[in-house]
Amino acid sequence: MKNYYVYITTNPGRTVLYIGVTNNLRRRLSEHRANRDCIKSFTGRYFCYNLIYYEHFSTIRSAIEREKELKKWSRNKKEILINTLNPQWDIILV
């Protein structure tokens, strides 16, 4: 079985949300951290490297569909989703 993840990261001030999809959360988060201060990448420019939410999928198609769905949501709706599983917005370590 394959593993795919839709994830949400935020910056230290929790003012910016980033939604992405990957097949390796640990590697992808490491890439985000490595891009800090890189103005060419969204996560680097806004320091979005703190994982606060993720969902697991067994197919890339399902993961991409969910990512697209979440990206269309309002900030408020995304916050409600995050709060259902991580009400303190604690950083999730993987």
Side-chain angles (χ1 to χ4, degrees):
M1 180 165 90
K2 302 274 185 169
N3 294 305
Y4 301 96
Y5 303 90
V6 172
Y7 62 95
I8 301 176
T9 60
T10 191
N11 62 335
R14 299 179 180 169
T15 58
V16 179
L17 297 176
Y18 174 82
I19 299 173
V21 65
T22 186
N23 66 345
N24 186 322
L25 265 176
R26 182 172 289 146
R27 175 189 48 80
R28 190 66 183 120
L29 293 169
S30 177
E31 291 170 354
H32 287 315
R33 284 186 199 94
N35 283 332
R36 281 186 280 200
D37 286 328
C38 177
I39 61 171
K40 292 182 181 180
S41 81
F42 181 90
T43 58
R45 187 176 332 127
Y46 294 103
F47 298 91
C48 290
Y49 50 81
N50 295 321
L51 179 66
I52 55 172
Y53 180 87
Y54 70 92
E55 296 177 12
H56 174 262
F57 297 87
S58 57
T59 68
I60 188 63
R61 179 172 290 171
S62 298
I64 291 171
E65 286 175 16
R66 180 63 167 163
E67 177 196 29
K68 288 179 180 180
E69 176 185 17
L70 294 180
K71 285 185 173 187
K72 292 178 184 176
W73 286 10
S74 68
R75 167 75 186 222
N76 186 57
K77 194 170 178 180
K78 292 172 192 173
E79 288 180 0
I80 292 169
L81 175 68
I82 295 163
N83 289 337
T84 61
L85 295 177
N86 187 0
Q88 301 302 317
W89 287 36
D90 294 325
I91 297 170
I92 300 169
L93 303 175
V94 290

